[in-house]
Each structure stands twice: as C-alpha cells, then as structure tokens.
Coordinates of all heavy atoms in Angstrom, one line a residue:
K1 N 5.6 26.6 78.2 CA 7.0 27.1 78.2 C 7.3 27.8 76.9 O 6.9 27.3 75.9 CB 8.0 26.1 78.5 CG 7.8 25.5 79.9 CD 8.9 24.4 80.2 CE 8.7 23.8 81.6 NZ 9.6 22.8 81.9
N2 N 8.1 28.8 76.9 CA 8.4 29.6 75.8 C 9.6 28.9 75.1 O 10.7 28.9 75.7 CB 8.7 31.0 76.1 CG 9.0 31.9 74.9 OD1 9.8 31.6 74.1 ND2 8.3 33.0 74.8
L3 N 9.4 28.4 73.9 CA 10.5 27.7 73.2 C 11.7 28.6 73.0 O 12.9 28.1 73.3 CB 10.0 27.2 71.8 CG 11.1 26.7 70.8 CD1 11.4 25.3 71.1 CD2 10.6 26.9 69.4
V4 N 11.5 29.8 72.5 CA 12.7 30.7 72.3 C 13.4 31.0 73.6 O 14.7 30.9 73.6 CB 12.2 32.0 71.6 CG1 13.3 33.0 71.4 CG2 11.6 31.7 70.2
E5 N 12.7 31.3 74.6 CA 13.4 31.7 75.9 C 14.1 30.5 76.5 O 15.2 30.7 77.1 CB 12.4 32.3 76.9 CG 11.9 33.6 76.5 CD 13.0 34.6 76.3 OE1 13.9 34.7 77.2 OE2 12.9 35.4 75.4
Q6 N 13.6 29.3 76.4 CA 14.1 28.2 77.1 C 15.2 27.4 76.3 O 16.2 27.0 76.9 CB 13.0 27.2 77.5 CG 13.5 26.0 78.3 CD 12.4 25.2 78.9 OE1 11.2 25.5 78.7 NE2 12.8 24.2 79.7
F7 N 15.1 27.3 75.0 CA 16.0 26.5 74.3 C 16.9 27.1 73.3 O 17.8 26.5 72.7 CB 15.2 25.4 73.5 CG 14.5 24.5 74.5 CD1 13.1 24.6 74.6 CD2 15.1 23.5 75.2 CE1 12.4 23.7 75.5 CE2 14.5 22.7 76.1 CZ 13.1 22.8 76.2
I8 N 16.7 28.4 73.0 CA 17.5 29.1 72.0 C 18.6 29.9 72.7 O 18.4 30.6 73.7 CB 16.7 30.1 71.2 CG1 15.5 29.3 70.6 CG2 17.5 30.7 70.1 CD1 15.8 28.1 69.7
A9 N 19.9 29.8 72.1 CA 21.0 30.6 72.7 C 20.7 32.1 72.6 O 20.1 32.5 71.7 CB 22.3 30.2 71.9
S10 N 21.3 32.8 73.6 CA 21.0 34.2 73.7 C 21.3 35.0 72.4 O 20.5 35.8 72.0 CB 21.9 34.8 74.8 OG 21.6 34.3 76.0
E11 N 22.4 34.6 71.7 CA 22.7 35.4 70.5 C 21.8 35.1 69.3 O 21.8 35.8 68.3 CB 24.2 35.1 70.1 CG 24.5 33.6 69.7 CD 24.9 32.8 70.9 OE1 24.7 33.2 72.1 OE2 25.4 31.7 70.6
N12 N 20.9 34.1 69.4 CA 20.0 33.7 68.4 C 18.5 34.0 68.7 O 17.7 33.8 67.8 CB 20.2 32.2 68.0 CG 21.6 31.9 67.5 OD1 22.4 31.4 68.2 ND2 21.8 32.3 66.3
K13 N 18.2 34.4 69.9 CA 16.8 34.5 70.3 C 16.1 35.5 69.4 O 15.0 35.3 69.0 CB 16.8 34.9 71.8 CG 17.0 33.8 72.7 CD 16.9 34.2 74.2 CE 17.3 33.0 75.0 NZ 17.1 33.2 76.4
T14 N 16.7 36.7 69.2 CA 16.0 37.7 68.4 C 15.7 37.2 67.0 O 14.6 37.4 66.5 CB 16.9 39.0 68.3 OG1 17.1 39.4 69.7 CG2 16.2 40.0 67.5
A15 N 16.7 36.5 66.3 CA 16.5 36.0 65.0 C 15.4 35.0 64.9 O 14.5 35.0 64.0 CB 17.8 35.5 64.4
V16 N 15.4 34.0 65.8 CA 14.4 33.0 65.8 C 13.0 33.5 66.1 O 12.1 33.2 65.5 CB 14.8 31.8 66.9 CG1 13.7 30.8 67.0 CG2 16.1 31.2 66.4
K17 N 13.0 34.4 67.1 CA 11.7 35.1 67.4 C 11.1 35.8 66.2 O 9.9 35.8 65.9 CB 11.8 36.0 68.6 CG 10.5 36.6 69.0 CD 10.6 37.4 70.3 CE 9.4 38.0 70.8 NZ 8.4 38.4 69.9
T18 N 12.0 36.5 65.5 CA 11.6 37.2 64.2 C 11.0 36.3 63.2 O 10.0 36.5 62.6 CB 12.8 38.0 63.7 OG1 13.2 39.0 64.6 CG2 12.4 38.7 62.4
V19 N 11.7 35.1 63.0 CA 11.2 34.1 62.0 C 9.8 33.7 62.4 O 8.9 33.6 61.6 CB 12.2 32.9 61.9 CG1 11.5 31.7 61.2 CG2 13.5 33.3 61.2
L20 N 9.6 33.3 63.7 CA 8.3 32.9 64.1 C 7.2 34.0 64.1 O 6.1 33.8 63.7 CB 8.4 32.3 65.6 CG 9.3 31.1 65.7 CD1 9.4 30.6 67.1 CD2 8.8 29.9 64.8
D21 N 7.6 35.2 64.5 CA 6.7 36.3 64.4 C 6.3 36.6 63.0 O 5.1 36.9 62.7 CB 7.3 37.6 65.1 CG 7.4 37.5 66.6 OD1 6.7 36.6 67.2 OD2 8.1 38.3 67.2
N22 N 7.3 36.6 62.1 CA 7.0 36.8 60.6 C 6.0 35.8 60.1 O 5.1 36.1 59.4 CB 8.3 36.7 59.8 CG 9.1 37.9 59.9 OD1 8.7 39.0 60.4 ND2 10.4 37.8 59.5
A23 N 6.1 34.5 60.5 CA 5.2 33.5 60.1 C 3.8 33.8 60.6 O 2.8 33.6 59.9 CB 5.6 32.1 60.5
L24 N 3.7 34.4 61.8 CA 2.4 34.8 62.3 C 1.8 36.0 61.6 O 0.6 36.2 61.7 CB 2.5 35.2 63.8 CG 2.5 34.0 64.8 CD1 2.9 34.5 66.2 CD2 1.2 33.2 64.8
Q25 N 2.6 36.7 60.8 CA 2.2 37.8 60.0 C 2.0 37.4 58.5 O 1.7 38.2 57.6 CB 3.2 38.9 60.1 CG 3.3 39.5 61.4 CD 2.0 40.1 62.0 OE1 1.3 40.8 61.3 NE2 1.7 39.8 63.2
G26 N 2.2 36.1 58.2 CA 2.0 35.6 56.8 C 3.3 35.6 56.0 O 3.3 35.2 54.8
R27 N 4.4 35.9 56.6 CA 5.7 35.9 55.9 C 6.5 34.6 56.4 O 7.1 34.6 57.5 CB 6.5 37.2 56.2 CG 5.8 38.4 55.7 CD 6.6 39.7 56.0 NE 6.9 39.9 57.4 CZ 6.2 40.5 58.3 NH1 5.0 41.0 57.9 NH2 6.5 40.7 59.5
E28 N 6.5 33.6 55.5 CA 7.1 32.3 55.8 C 8.6 32.3 55.6 O 9.1 33.1 54.8 CB 6.4 31.2 55.0 CG 4.9 31.2 55.3 CD 4.2 30.2 54.5 OE1 4.7 29.6 53.6 OE2 3.0 30.0 54.8
T29 N 9.3 31.5 56.3 CA 10.7 31.3 56.2 C 11.1 29.9 56.0 O 10.6 29.0 56.6 CB 11.4 31.8 57.5 OG1 11.1 33.2 57.7 CG2 12.9 31.7 57.4
A30 N 12.0 29.7 55.0 CA 12.5 28.3 54.7 C 14.0 28.3 55.0 O 14.7 29.2 54.7 CB 12.2 27.9 53.3
N31 N 14.5 27.1 55.5 CA 15.9 26.8 55.6 C 16.7 27.8 56.5 O 17.7 28.3 56.1 CB 16.5 26.7 54.2 CG 15.9 25.6 53.4 OD1 15.5 24.6 53.9 ND2 15.7 25.9 52.1
F32 N 16.1 28.1 57.6 CA 16.8 29.0 58.6 C 17.6 28.1 59.6 O 17.0 27.2 60.2 CB 15.7 29.8 59.4 CG 16.3 30.7 60.4 CD1 17.0 31.9 60.1 CD2 16.2 30.4 61.7 CE1 17.5 32.7 61.0 CE2 16.7 31.2 62.7 CZ 17.4 32.4 62.4
E33 N 18.9 28.3 59.6 CA 19.7 27.5 60.5 C 20.1 28.2 61.8 O 20.4 29.4 61.8 CB 21.0 27.2 59.8 CG 20.9 26.2 58.6 CD 22.2 25.8 58.0 OE1 23.2 25.8 58.7 OE2 22.2 25.5 56.8
F34 N 20.0 27.5 62.9 CA 20.4 28.0 64.2 C 20.7 26.9 65.2 O 20.2 25.8 65.0 CB 19.3 28.9 64.8 CG 18.0 28.2 65.1 CD1 17.8 27.8 66.4 CD2 17.1 27.9 64.1 CE1 16.6 27.1 66.7 CE2 15.9 27.2 64.4 CZ 15.7 26.8 65.7
P35 N 21.5 27.2 66.2 CA 21.7 26.2 67.2 C 20.6 26.2 68.3 O 20.0 27.2 68.6 CB 23.0 26.6 67.9 CG 23.1 28.1 67.7 CD 22.4 28.3 66.4
L36 N 20.3 25.0 68.8 CA 19.2 24.8 69.8 C 19.8 24.0 70.9 O 20.7 23.1 70.6 CB 18.0 24.1 69.1 CG 16.9 23.8 70.0 CD1 15.6 24.4 69.4 CD2 16.7 22.4 70.3
F37 N 19.4 24.2 72.1 CA 19.9 23.4 73.2 C 18.8 22.5 73.7 O 17.7 23.0 74.0 CB 20.4 24.3 74.4 CG 21.7 25.0 74.0 CD1 21.6 26.3 73.4 CD2 22.9 24.4 74.1 CE1 22.8 26.9 73.0 CE2 24.1 25.0 73.7 CZ 24.0 26.3 73.2
T38 N 19.1 21.2 73.9 CA 18.1 20.2 74.3 C 17.8 20.4 75.8 O 18.5 21.1 76.5 CB 18.6 18.8 74.0 OG1 19.7 18.6 74.8 CG2 18.9 18.6 72.5
K39 N 16.9 19.6 76.3 CA 16.5 19.7 77.7 C 17.7 19.3 78.6 O 17.9 19.8 79.7 CB 15.4 18.7 78.0 CG 14.1 19.3 77.5 CD 12.9 18.3 77.9 CE 11.6 18.8 77.3 NZ 10.5 17.9 77.7
D40 N 18.6 18.4 78.0 CA 19.8 18.0 78.8 C 21.0 18.9 78.4 O 22.2 18.5 78.6 CB 20.1 16.5 78.7 CG 20.3 16.0 77.3 OD1 20.0 16.8 76.3 OD2 20.6 14.9 77.1
H41 N 20.8 20.0 77.8 CA 21.8 21.1 77.5 C 22.8 20.7 76.4 O 23.9 21.3 76.4 CB 22.5 21.5 78.8 CG 21.6 21.9 79.9 ND1 20.8 23.0 79.9 CD2 21.2 21.2 81.0 CE1 20.1 23.1 81.0 NE2 20.3 22.0 81.7
Q42 N 22.4 19.8 75.6 CA 23.3 19.5 74.4 C 22.9 20.4 73.3 O 21.7 20.7 73.1 CB 23.1 18.0 74.0 CG 23.6 17.0 74.9 CD 23.5 15.6 74.4 OE1 22.5 15.2 73.9 NE2 24.6 14.9 74.5
R43 N 23.9 20.9 72.6 CA 23.7 21.8 71.5 C 23.5 20.9 70.2 O 24.3 20.0 69.9 CB 24.9 22.6 71.2 CG 24.8 23.6 70.0 CD 26.1 24.2 69.7 NE 26.1 24.6 68.3 CZ 26.3 25.8 67.8 NH1 26.7 26.7 68.7 NH2 26.3 26.1 66.6
I44 N 22.5 21.3 69.4 CA 22.3 20.7 68.1 C 22.0 21.8 67.1 O 21.6 22.9 67.5 CB 21.1 19.7 68.1 CG1 19.8 20.3 68.4 CG2 21.4 18.5 69.0 CD1 18.6 19.5 68.2
D45 N 22.4 21.5 65.9 CA 22.1 22.5 64.8 C 20.8 22.1 64.2 O 20.5 20.9 63.9 CB 23.2 22.5 63.8 CG 24.5 23.0 64.4 OD1 24.5 24.2 64.9 OD2 25.6 22.4 64.3
V46 N 19.9 23.1 64.0 CA 18.6 22.9 63.5 C 18.4 23.7 62.2 O 18.8 24.8 62.1 CB 17.5 23.3 64.5 CG1 16.1 23.2 64.0 CG2 17.7 22.5 65.8
L47 N 17.7 23.1 61.2 CA 17.2 23.7 60.0 C 15.7 23.9 60.2 O 15.0 22.9 60.3 CB 17.5 22.9 58.8 CG 17.2 23.5 57.5 CD1 18.0 24.7 57.2 CD2 17.3 22.4 56.4
L48 N 15.2 25.1 60.2 CA 13.8 25.4 60.5 C 13.1 26.0 59.3 O 13.6 26.8 58.6 CB 13.8 26.5 61.7 CG 12.4 27.0 62.0 CD1 11.5 25.9 62.6 CD2 12.5 28.2 62.9
N49 N 11.9 25.4 59.1 CA 11.0 26.0 58.2 C 9.7 26.4 59.0 O 9.1 25.6 59.7 CB 10.5 25.0 57.1 CG 11.7 24.6 56.2 OD1 12.3 25.5 55.6 ND2 12.0 23.3 56.1
A50 N 9.4 27.7 58.9 CA 8.2 28.2 59.6 C 7.2 28.6 58.6 O 7.4 29.5 57.8 CB 8.7 29.5 60.5
T51 N 6.0 28.0 58.7 CA 4.9 28.2 57.8 C 3.7 28.7 58.5 O 3.4 28.3 59.6 CB 4.6 26.8 57.1 OG1 5.7 26.3 56.5 CG2 3.5 27.0 56.0
T52 N 3.0 29.7 57.9 CA 1.8 30.2 58.5 C 0.7 29.2 58.4 O 0.5 28.5 57.3 CB 1.4 31.5 57.7 OG1 2.5 32.4 57.7 CG2 0.2 32.1 58.2
R53 N 0.0 29.0 59.5 CA -1.2 28.1 59.5 C -2.5 29.0 59.4 O -2.6 29.9 60.1 CB -1.2 27.3 60.8 CG -2.3 26.3 60.8 CD -2.1 25.3 61.9 NE -3.2 24.3 61.8 CZ -4.0 23.9 62.8 NH1 -3.7 24.4 64.0 NH2 -4.9 23.0 62.6
R54 N -3.3 28.6 58.5 CA -4.6 29.3 58.2 C -5.8 28.4 58.4 O -5.7 27.3 58.1 CB -4.5 30.0 56.8 CG -3.4 30.9 56.6 CD -3.3 31.5 55.2 NE -2.2 32.4 55.0 CZ -2.2 33.7 55.2 NH1 -3.3 34.3 55.6 NH2 -1.1 34.4 55.0
D55 N -6.9 29.1 58.7 CA -8.2 28.3 58.8 C -8.8 28.3 57.4 O -8.2 28.8 56.4 CB -9.1 28.9 59.9 CG -9.6 30.3 59.6 OD1 -9.4 30.8 58.5 OD2 -10.1 30.9 60.5
N56 N -10.0 27.8 57.3 CA -10.7 27.7 56.0 C -11.1 29.0 55.5 O -11.5 29.1 54.3 CB -11.9 26.7 56.1 CG -12.9 27.1 57.1 OD1 -12.7 28.1 57.9 ND2 -14.1 26.5 57.1
M57 N -11.0 30.1 56.2 CA -11.3 31.4 55.8 C -10.1 32.2 55.5 O -10.1 33.4 55.3 CB -12.2 32.2 56.8 CG -13.5 31.5 57.1 SD -14.6 31.4 55.7 CE -15.1 33.2 55.6
S58 N -8.9 31.5 55.5 CA -7.6 32.1 55.3 C -7.1 33.1 56.4 O -6.2 33.8 56.2 CB -7.5 32.9 53.9 OG -7.6 31.9 52.9
N59 N -7.8 33.0 57.5 CA -7.3 33.7 58.7 C -6.1 33.0 59.3 O -6.1 31.8 59.4 CB -8.4 33.9 59.7 CG -9.6 34.6 59.2 OD1 -9.5 35.7 58.7 ND2 -10.8 34.0 59.4
I60 N -5.1 33.8 59.7 CA -3.9 33.2 60.3 C -4.3 32.7 61.7 O -4.8 33.5 62.5 CB -2.8 34.2 60.4 CG1 -2.3 34.6 59.0 CG2 -1.6 33.6 61.2 CD1 -1.3 35.7 58.9
V61 N -4.0 31.4 62.0 CA -4.4 30.9 63.3 C -3.2 30.3 64.0 O -3.3 29.9 65.2 CB -5.5 29.8 63.2 CG1 -6.8 30.3 62.6 CG2 -5.0 28.6 62.3
G62 N -2.0 30.4 63.4 CA -0.8 29.9 64.1 C 0.3 29.7 63.1 O 0.3 30.2 62.0
V63 N 1.3 29.0 63.6 CA 2.5 28.7 62.9 C 2.8 27.2 63.0 O 2.7 26.6 64.1 CB 3.7 29.5 63.5 CG1 5.0 29.1 62.8 CG2 3.5 31.0 63.3
V64 N 3.2 26.7 61.9 CA 3.7 25.3 61.8 C 5.2 25.4 61.7 O 5.7 25.9 60.7 CB 3.1 24.5 60.7 CG1 3.8 23.1 60.7 CG2 1.6 24.4 60.9
G65 N 6.0 25.0 62.7 CA 7.4 25.0 62.6 C 8.0 23.6 62.5 O 7.6 22.7 63.3
V66 N 8.8 23.3 61.5 CA 9.4 22.0 61.3 C 10.9 22.2 61.4 O 11.5 23.0 60.6 CB 9.0 21.4 59.9 CG1 9.7 20.1 59.7 CG2 7.5 21.2 59.8
G67 N 11.5 21.6 62.4 CA 12.9 21.7 62.6 C 13.5 20.3 62.3 O 13.0 19.3 62.7
Q68 N 14.6 20.4 61.6 CA 15.4 19.1 61.3 C 16.8 19.2 61.9 O 17.5 20.3 61.8 CB 15.5 19.0 59.8 CG 16.3 17.8 59.3 CD 16.4 17.7 57.8 OE1 16.0 18.6 57.1 NE2 17.1 16.7 57.3
D69 N 17.2 18.2 62.6 CA 18.5 18.1 63.3 C 19.5 17.9 62.2 O 19.6 16.9 61.5 CB 18.5 17.0 64.3 CG 19.9 16.9 65.0 OD1 20.9 17.6 64.6 OD2 20.0 16.1 66.0
I70 N 20.4 18.9 61.9 CA 21.4 18.9 60.9 C 22.8 18.8 61.5 O 23.8 19.1 60.8 CB 21.2 20.0 59.9 CG1 21.4 21.4 60.6 CG2 19.9 19.9 59.1 CD1 21.5 22.5 59.6
T71 N 22.9 18.5 62.8 CA 24.2 18.5 63.5 C 25.2 17.6 62.7 O 26.3 18.0 62.5 CB 24.0 18.0 64.9 OG1 23.0 18.8 65.5 CG2 25.3 18.1 65.7
E72 N 24.8 16.4 62.4 CA 25.8 15.5 61.7 C 26.2 16.0 60.4 O 27.4 15.9 60.0 CB 25.2 14.1 61.6 CG 25.1 13.3 62.9 CD 24.5 11.9 62.7 OE1 24.5 11.4 61.6 OE2 24.1 11.4 63.8
R73 N 25.3 16.6 59.6 CA 25.6 17.2 58.3 C 26.6 18.4 58.5 O 27.6 18.5 57.7 CB 24.4 17.7 57.7 CG 24.6 18.2 56.2 CD 23.5 19.0 55.6 NE 23.8 20.4 56.0 CZ 22.9 21.3 55.8 NH1 21.7 21.1 55.4 NH2 23.2 22.6 56.2
K74 N 26.4 19.2 59.5 CA 27.3 20.3 59.8 C 28.7 19.8 60.1 O 29.7 20.4 59.7 CB 26.8 21.2 60.9 CG 25.5 21.9 60.6 CD 25.6 23.0 59.6 CE 26.1 24.2 60.2 NZ 26.1 25.4 59.3
V75 N 28.8 18.8 60.9 CA 30.1 18.2 61.3 C 30.8 17.6 60.1 O 32.0 17.8 59.8 CB 29.9 17.1 62.4 CG1 31.2 16.3 62.6 CG2 29.5 17.7 63.7
A76 N 30.0 16.9 59.2 CA 30.6 16.4 58.0 C 31.1 17.5 57.0 O 32.2 17.4 56.4 CB 29.6 15.5 57.3
E77 N 30.4 18.6 57.0 CA 30.8 19.7 56.1 C 32.1 20.3 56.7 O 33.0 20.6 55.9 CB 29.7 20.8 56.1 CG 28.5 20.5 55.3 CD 27.4 21.5 55.4 OE1 27.5 22.4 56.2 OE2 26.4 21.3 54.7
Q78 N 32.2 20.4 58.0 CA 33.5 21.0 58.6 C 34.6 20.0 58.3 O 35.7 20.5 58.0 CB 33.3 21.2 60.1 CG 32.3 22.3 60.4 CD 31.9 22.4 61.9 OE1 32.3 21.5 62.6 NE2 31.2 23.4 62.2
D79 N 34.4 18.7 58.4 CA 35.4 17.7 58.2 C 35.9 17.8 56.7 O 37.1 17.8 56.4 CB 35.0 16.3 58.5 CG 34.8 16.1 60.0 OD1 35.3 16.9 60.8 OD2 34.1 15.1 60.3
L80 N 35.0 17.9 55.8 CA 35.3 18.0 54.4 C 36.1 19.3 54.1 O 37.1 19.2 53.3 CB 34.0 18.0 53.5 CG 34.1 18.0 52.0 CD1 34.9 16.8 51.5 CD2 32.8 18.1 51.4
L81 N 35.7 20.4 54.7 CA 36.5 21.6 54.5 C 37.9 21.5 55.0 O 38.8 21.9 54.4 CB 35.7 22.8 55.2 CG 36.4 24.2 55.1 CD1 36.5 24.6 53.6 CD2 35.6 25.2 55.9
R82 N 38.0 20.9 56.2 CA 39.4 20.7 56.8 C 40.2 19.8 55.9 O 41.4 20.1 55.6 CB 39.2 20.0 58.2 CG 40.6 20.0 58.9 CD 40.4 19.5 60.4 NE 39.5 18.5 60.6 CZ 38.3 18.6 61.2 NH1 37.9 19.8 61.5 NH2 37.5 17.6 61.4
V83 N 39.7 18.7 55.3 CA 40.4 17.9 54.4 C 40.8 18.6 53.1 O 42.0 18.5 52.7 CB 39.6 16.6 54.0 CG1 40.2 15.8 52.9 CG2 39.5 15.7 55.3
A84 N 39.9 19.4 52.6 CA 40.2 20.2 51.4 C 41.3 21.2 51.7 O 42.2 21.4 50.8 CB 38.9 20.9 50.9
T85 N 41.3 21.8 52.8 CA 42.3 22.8 53.2 C 43.7 22.1 53.3 O 44.7 22.6 52.8 CB 41.9 23.5 54.5 OG1 40.7 24.1 54.3 CG2 43.0 24.5 54.9
D86 N 43.7 20.9 53.9 CA 44.9 20.2 54.1 C 45.5 19.7 52.7 O 46.7 19.8 52.5 CB 44.7 18.9 55.0 CG 44.4 19.3 56.4 OD1 44.7 20.4 56.8 OD2 44.0 18.4 57.2
L87 N 44.6 19.3 51.8 CA 45.0 18.9 50.5 C 45.6 20.1 49.7 O 46.6 19.9 49.0 CB 43.9 18.2 49.7 CG 43.5 16.8 50.2 CD1 42.2 16.4 49.4 CD2 44.6 15.9 50.0
R88 N 45.0 21.2 49.8 CA 45.5 22.4 49.1 C 46.9 22.8 49.7 O 47.8 23.2 48.9 CB 44.5 23.6 49.3 CG 43.5 23.7 48.3 CD 42.7 25.0 48.3 NE 41.4 24.7 48.0 CZ 40.3 24.7 48.8 NH1 40.6 24.9 50.1 NH2 39.1 24.4 48.5
A89 N 47.1 22.6 51.0 CA 48.4 23.0 51.6 C 49.4 22.0 51.1 O 50.6 22.4 50.8 CB 48.3 22.9 53.1
L90 N 49.1 20.7 50.8 CA 50.1 19.8 50.3 C 50.4 20.1 48.9 O 51.6 19.9 48.4 CB 49.5 18.4 50.4 CG 49.4 17.8 51.8 CD1 48.7 16.4 51.8 CD2 50.8 17.6 52.4
I91 N 49.4 20.5 48.1 CA 49.6 20.8 46.7 C 50.4 22.1 46.5 O 51.3 22.1 45.6 CB 48.3 20.8 45.9 CG1 47.7 19.5 45.9 CG2 48.5 21.4 44.5 CD1 46.2 19.4 45.4
D92 N 50.2 23.1 47.3 CA 50.8 24.4 47.1 C 52.2 24.3 47.7 O 53.2 24.3 47.7 CB 50.1 25.5 47.8 CG 48.7 25.7 47.2 OD1 48.5 25.4 46.0 OD2 47.8 26.3 47.8

C-alpha cells in the first residue's frame, strides 16, 4: 500500500511525496512536520526525518523514514500560546 496515498491528508500529499522523492535522490530532510491519519482515521501530528539509504558502493537503495508522534507536544504548545495571550490581555 502507498503510505502517502492512504494516510496523508490531501493538502499534504505533494509535500510529503516531495520529501520522500528528494531522499531517493540523495537530498535528505530533517524535522518536516505534517498531519497523518491512522488506520482508524485519527489525526496525529508527525515529525519526519527522511534519510537516503545507500549500499556499500554508495548507490542509493532506498529511504529510511523516521516519524515521531508530536501530537501531545503540539497541543501543549497551543495551550501555552493561549495562556500567554490571556495573560497579555489581562496586563494590557
């Protein structure tokens, strides 16, 4: 099954495909954030690092993609921003 087609939201498919295609060309990407949908259709935020995989002759043979679920971190950042905005409103 195609990861991009099945689990990536329509508005992010092109960007995610570009990151993976770039890694297949030797152009690696670090810290790329995007939403992903799980098999049970839950949205999670992912931080992706896409690294070119090479054989012992330095030929590109694939991509190693490491994704980290950063959903909780993103929620905490939004909560912190909301609290900071509320505090500024009280001070002003």
Side-chain angles (χ1 to χ4, degrees):
K1 295 180 181 178
N2 186 308
L3 170 80
V4 174
E5 289 302 318
Q6 187 168 0
F7 297 107
I8 308 301
S10 299
E11 64 270 16
N12 298 101
K13 285 182 182 186
T14 300
V16 173
K17 185 175 182 325
T18 298
V19 166
L20 297 174
D21 288 347
N22 282 344
L24 282 172
Q25 299 299 317
R27 296 182 302 273
E28 300 177 352
T29 300
N31 302 322
F32 178 75
E33 292 185 28
F34 66 97
L36 179 129
F37 292 92
T38 64
K39 289 180 182 180
D40 58 352
H41 307 289
Q42 290 184 314
R43 178 193 157 126
I44 62 172
D45 291 306
V46 174
L47 182 68
L48 174 68
N49 292 304
T51 305
T52 304
R53 183 166 184 230
R54 298 177 183 271
D55 64 13
N56 61 350
M57 301 294 290
S58 292
N59 297 310
I60 296 172
V61 294
V63 173
V64 176
V66 177
Q68 179 181 1
D69 181 350
I70 59 168
T71 306
E72 289 182 19
R73 187 194 89 192
K74 297 287 278 186
V75 169
E77 288 173 355
Q78 291 170 354
D79 289 345
L80 183 60
L81 182 60
R82 187 172 41 257
V83 168
T85 301
D86 291 348
L87 288 174
R88 271 192 217 103
L90 288 173
I91 293 170
D92 293 339

